Amino acid sequence: MMETLWLFVVLVTILFHGHLLGRRLFPTIWWGISLLPGIVLMIALQSLIQTGWYYSGYPLGWISDIVSLALAAAVCHALIRFTTQPSSSPTPTAPFSFAFSPRHILGAALLIIALLATILIHRSALLAGTTDSIRTPWPLLPERTLWLIALTWTMLIASVAFVRSRLTTTLHAALATSATLWIAPLLYRIGYGFDGFLHIASEKILLATGTLHPKPLYYIGQYVFTTWFARLSHFSIADVDRWLLPVAAAMFLPLAVLITLPKKSAVTPFLAFGVLPLGAFVASTPQGFAYLLGLCAILLARNTRETHIHPSVSLILASWAVATHPLAGIPFLFVALALLTYERTATRYKILSPLFSILAGISIPLMFVVLGLKGGTTIAWNPDTIFSIEPWRTWLTGFVPTIGNHFVLWPAWASLASHMLPLILVVLAFIGGKSNRPLLLSALMLWLSGTALKATGDFTFLIDYERGNYADRLNTLALLCLFPAAVTAFQQAHERLRQTPRPILVALSIFFITFATGIAYDSLPRHDALVTGRGWTTSRADIEAVRLIDSDANGRDYTVLANQSVSAAAVATLGFKRYADDVFFYPIPTGGPLYELYLKMTYNEPSRDTVKDAARLGKTDLVYIVLNNYWWRAPQVAESIRAIADKQWDIETGTVRVYRFDVSNEANASTTAVGR
């Protein structure tokens, strides 16, 4: 009874204050639309307050929920009290009318077609859902899936060209993006990716205990929201985390474009979703959630003089992005400030815009330098390489679309579309005119910083093929910064498109549909004629292996040598069960010393000496090795390890093999595999 009453109080409080924030901070938007961003802002304020509560040392729970909600309501009233309504703002009007006409009937028909196509895509993903290890979802989906994705983009173009309704075009953009983004959470039944398992395990601890030890300096902006929502709704934290980003991106990015359009503008800006890097919003991680919050912040920082959206909206969302993941949030905060100051008429504010754009680019490398000096990260710096021509040549050639001598039509086109995306976004940014200057400068600085970071910094605490990840994230930030510029470009191109001959418009429409579908295909893991997929998902057999090992150990401490997928299964099943000093008993992170021993055991000559090294590192006598059948040369490696193991198990007819070593038992005469 008390929980039901509390749920009612929370919903009423958020709806009421969301309405107040929407009416005041979005004065030109009809209240039925402005309510949604108002609710998001109310939740953002509460999440920021919960983040401050967490870092103050107090546990999260029902008390923090009550206090943060009350303080968020107080901040809401303060914003309303100290923000003035613009005298020149027009009266809000609804973005639709209820009068029936041929155009409205056509709009309803196009929307129904797009909705049915999206439902069929999601139904296929649900039916194809698997618990096996896979590298890509595409072979499991029907061949019609890509045609249906193309159909959703076709309906978007048709809505822009013939219906010209803001509301229906917004819904088409939401359907087209969700058609791709929702495939992964529906198809990957155990979980998608690797990082998600770690975040869910951390969120479970935070939900159960109210705190984490040690306290991370990042991720909390997402954690406080997912744990609050799980407490309130009684949904599992895994489901909340899995669906957070795909659902939020499909809902709020089209909404952000809608509410930033001038009142009498065309709906062509929604075509910019065809050049949106969808891959950034597939997996719910704090990095991805910060991408979404930051992108919404800079979308809402545009056209503030014309739309009368209050600058605090952008700053609140950017601050939430910083609290979620500073490596994404801080650059977005500076980009938002660059846009907001560029919008001001006073020269003393306008000259700050390029400074903020420069800070957006250099902030992350500077953070890594400071962390390296303080010993927070192990980074080997080689500043001399920044003067070499090679990294800069590689960066420039990245703007030249090329796929080499490959003639497999669809994989080649999807790769080409992905390679063309940076150049197309830059061209669109120039088409958009002067208002895109802060975005262009910010993107340029992010690209330069990413290139410099990759050339000069060696992140030795990561595995070899992941050491360029931080630089690649700056490249992703640059692309996302140019998405609002593309929105402006399509808005500016409306009149030109109306005067373009029809055959050229048809050709451009076909290019748009195939390009957007190619980006959608490339946003999910691939394993085809052009791309060799490296990542295998966590499977049911991996989880069974983890449970078997824990049961066989019978309460004894043990150390495991396994790959990334099995380690993810361990975190999902056992949480962060045991550490030996700072070494987790499964190989996490994958660049750590325990994983190096796993590589030594599987790539080199398997030996009990390597097992003893793992035992010393994990401070146990019991060591297990897990070998998946997709590991290269798995049969030969399995035979070699079996020759020196104390015991072995085959799970699902050799899908996963588990080997046990007890180094306290020195009865084994053989310490090195023979016969190899």
Side-chain angles (χ1 to χ4, degrees):
M1 180 63 182
M2 289 300 296
E3 288 188 3
T4 303
L5 179 61
W6 171 241
L7 177 61
F8 176 77
V9 170
V10 170
L11 291 178
V12 170
T13 303
I14 290 177
L15 286 173
F16 175 70
H17 290 89
H19 172 72
L20 294 180
L21 287 171
R23 291 293 297 271
R24 178 51 62 92
L25 302 181
F26 304 92
T28 64
I29 307 298
W30 178 61
W31 72 267
I33 298 296
S34 65
L35 173 65
L36 298 177
I39 290 173
V40 173
L41 288 176
M42 182 64 182
I43 293 174
L45 290 172
Q46 186 194 24
S47 297
L48 288 171
I49 293 168
Q50 290 255 43
T51 301
W53 178 283
Y54 169 83
Y55 284 122
S56 297
Y58 298 102
L60 296 174
W62 290 106
I63 295 177
S64 69
D65 292 347
I66 295 171
V67 173
S68 62
L69 187 65
L71 290 177
V75 174
C76 169
H77 287 287
L79 281 172
I80 294 170
R81 173 70 175 82
F82 294 107
T83 56
T84 57
Q85 189 85 5
S87 57
S88 60
S89 62
T91 303
T93 56
F96 59 88
S97 63
F98 293 102
F100 287 99
S101 66
R103 185 166 61 89
H104 288 92
I105 295 172
L106 175 62
L110 295 177
L111 197 59
I112 289 172
I113 293 172
L115 179 61
L116 290 176
T118 305
I119 290 173
L120 287 174
I121 293 168
H122 294 161
R123 181 178 180 272
S124 298
L126 182 63
L127 294 176
T130 182
T131 57
D132 295 333
S133 291
I134 60 173
R135 282 188 282 191
T136 172
W138 294 114
L140 303 182
L141 294 167
E143 292 183 1
R144 67 172 185 267
T145 301
L146 285 171
W147 290 102
L148 291 171
I149 291 175
L151 182 60
T152 62
W153 292 110
T154 304
M155 293 302 100
L156 173 61
I157 283 189
S159 180
V160 169
F162 303 115
V163 182
R164 298 184 293 277
S165 165
R166 290 186 174 204
L167 183 62
T168 57
T169 310
T170 303
L171 294 175
H172 276 290
L175 290 172
T177 52
S178 67
T180 300
L181 295 181
W182 294 9
I183 289 176
L186 288 169
L187 191 142
Y188 293 91
R189 293 187 178 175
I190 294 177
Y192 172 73
F194 174 69
D195 292 344
F197 290 98
L198 304 181
H199 295 303
I200 290 171
S202 298
E203 289 165 338
K204 285 180 178 178
I205 295 173
L206 188 61
L207 181 63
T209 67
T211 190
L212 293 171
H213 295 290
K215 289 181 181 294
L217 298 177
Y218 27 75
Y219 309 153
I220 301 303
Q222 175 179 312
Y223 288 3
V224 295
F225 171 74
T226 54
T227 52
W228 168 79
F229 191 83
R231 278 193 299 271
L232 190 68
S233 64
H234 295 288
F235 291 154
S236 73
I237 197 72
D239 288 337
V240 173
D241 188 281
R242 179 181 302 178
W243 285 99
L244 172 62
L245 184 58
V247 171
M251 288 178 59
F252 297 127
L253 288 177
L255 179 63
V257 172
L258 171 66
I259 62 182
T260 54
L261 291 182
K263 188 174 181 180
K264 295 184 179 180
S265 68
V267 294
T268 49
F270 287 97
L271 295 177
F273 282 92
V275 294
L276 176 67
L278 290 174
F281 308 107
V282 172
S284 286
T285 62
Q287 181 83 26
F289 192 50
Y291 285 156
L292 174 62
L293 295 172
L295 182 54
C296 288
I298 62 176
L299 279 168
L300 295 168
R302 300 164 48 255
N303 298 331
T304 53
R305 281 187 293 174
E306 194 169 356
T307 61
H308 301 286
I309 296 174
H310 198 271
S312 62
V313 173
S314 178
L315 296 178
I316 290 170
L317 292 176
S319 299
W320 194 7
V322 173
T324 299
H325 203 304
L327 296 185
I330 290 176
F332 274 127
L333 177 60
F334 283 126
V335 177
L337 289 170
L339 288 167
L340 291 172
T341 51
Y342 190 80
E343 289 276 324
R344 303 295 291 272
T345 55
T347 305
R348 66 179 181 274
Y349 294 115
K350 212 175 189 71
I351 60 175
L352 292 174
S353 179
L355 175 62
F356 285 130
S357 293
I358 294 171
L359 287 173
I362 66 174
S363 56
I364 301 308
L366 286 177
M367 287 175 59
F368 279 122
V369 170
V370 172
L371 288 173
L373 292 175
K374 291 186 175 181
T377 55
T378 307
I379 305 174
W381 294 103
N382 185 13
D384 292 339
T385 57
I386 200 171
F387 300 106
S388 171
I389 193 66
E390 182 59 28
W392 306 106
R393 186 190 65 81
T394 303
W395 170 64
L396 288 174
T397 55
F399 287 92
V400 180
T402 178
I403 55 171
N405 296 322
H406 299 284
F407 302 99
V408 185
L409 182 60
W410 179 250
W413 171 252
S415 296
L416 184 60
S418 180
H419 292 163
M420 284 191 294
L421 185 59
L423 180 60
I424 287 177
L425 285 171
V426 169
V427 171
L428 288 172
F430 277 105
I431 292 174
K434 294 181 180 180
S435 62
N436 285 338
R437 286 177 179 175
L439 294 169
L440 271 168
L441 180 57
S442 299
L444 176 63
M445 291 305 303
L446 286 164
W447 268 318
L448 293 176
S449 295
T451 304
L453 188 63
K454 180 175 286 188
T456 61
D458 186 8
F459 294 80
T460 55
F461 59 92
L462 294 174
I463 195 169
D464 289 345
Y465 58 81
E466 293 182 350
R467 291 181 182 177
N469 281 4
Y470 289 114
D472 293 337
R473 290 176 184 180
L474 291 178
N475 296 334
T476 301
L477 284 170
L479 294 179
L480 293 176
C481 281
L482 292 178
F483 174 72
V487 173
T488 304
F490 279 107
Q491 184 176 337
Q492 298 290 338
H494 171 65
E495 288 300 325
R496 298 181 189 176
L497 291 174
R498 290 184 62 182
Q499 299 170 8
T500 302
R502 185 164 296 179
I504 296 179
L505 280 179
V506 172
L508 289 174
S509 298
I510 294 173
F511 175 81
F512 173 87
I513 294 166
T514 54
F515 183 87
T517 307
I519 293 296
Y521 177 77
D522 198 61
S523 66
L524 293 171
R526 293 173 54 183
H527 181 69
D528 50 39
L530 260 72
V531 177
T532 301
R534 288 185 177 181
W536 289 87
T537 58
T538 299
S539 68
R540 177 184 63 252
D542 295 331
I543 293 176
E544 187 176 340
V546 169
R547 290 172 176 166
L548 183 150
I549 291 171
D550 198 61
S551 175
D552 180 74
N554 197 25
R556 292 176 61 186
D557 289 341
Y558 58 91
T559 304
V560 181
L561 300 180
N563 68 7
Q564 182 172 266
S565 299
V566 178
S567 297
V571 172
T573 306
L574 305 174
F576 300 105
K577 181 177 179 179
R578 190 181 72 83
Y579 278 86
D581 296 328
D582 61 345
V583 176
F584 190 58
F585 73 126
Y586 274 79
I588 297 175
T590 49
L594 206 57
Y595 190 73
E596 294 298 327
L597 291 176
Y598 177 69
L599 295 179
K600 183 178 180 180
M601 195 73 181
T602 52
Y603 274 98
N604 300 333
E605 191 78 12
S607 72
R608 290 186 68 91
D609 290 335
T610 304
V611 172
K612 290 177 182 178
D613 291 338
R616 282 191 293 269
L617 192 62
K619 297 184 177 180
T620 63
D621 292 330
L622 204 56
V623 177
Y624 294 88
I625 296 176
V626 183
L627 185 67
N628 296 75
N629 67 342
Y630 53 73
W631 190 261
W632 84 297
R633 297 181 63 211
Q636 297 93 322
V637 174
E639 182 180 351
S640 299
I641 297 178
R642 183 174 64 246
I644 59 174
D646 298 333
K647 190 176 182 181
Q648 76 161 43
W649 297 267
D650 278 355
I651 298 174
E652 294 188 1
T653 320
T655 300
V656 176
R657 297 180 178 91
V658 179
Y659 303 92
R660 170 179 165 145
F661 296 82
D662 190 342
V663 299
S664 64
N665 178 13
E666 296 297 335
N668 294 277
S670 175
T671 62
T672 304
V674 294
R676 287 189 73 194

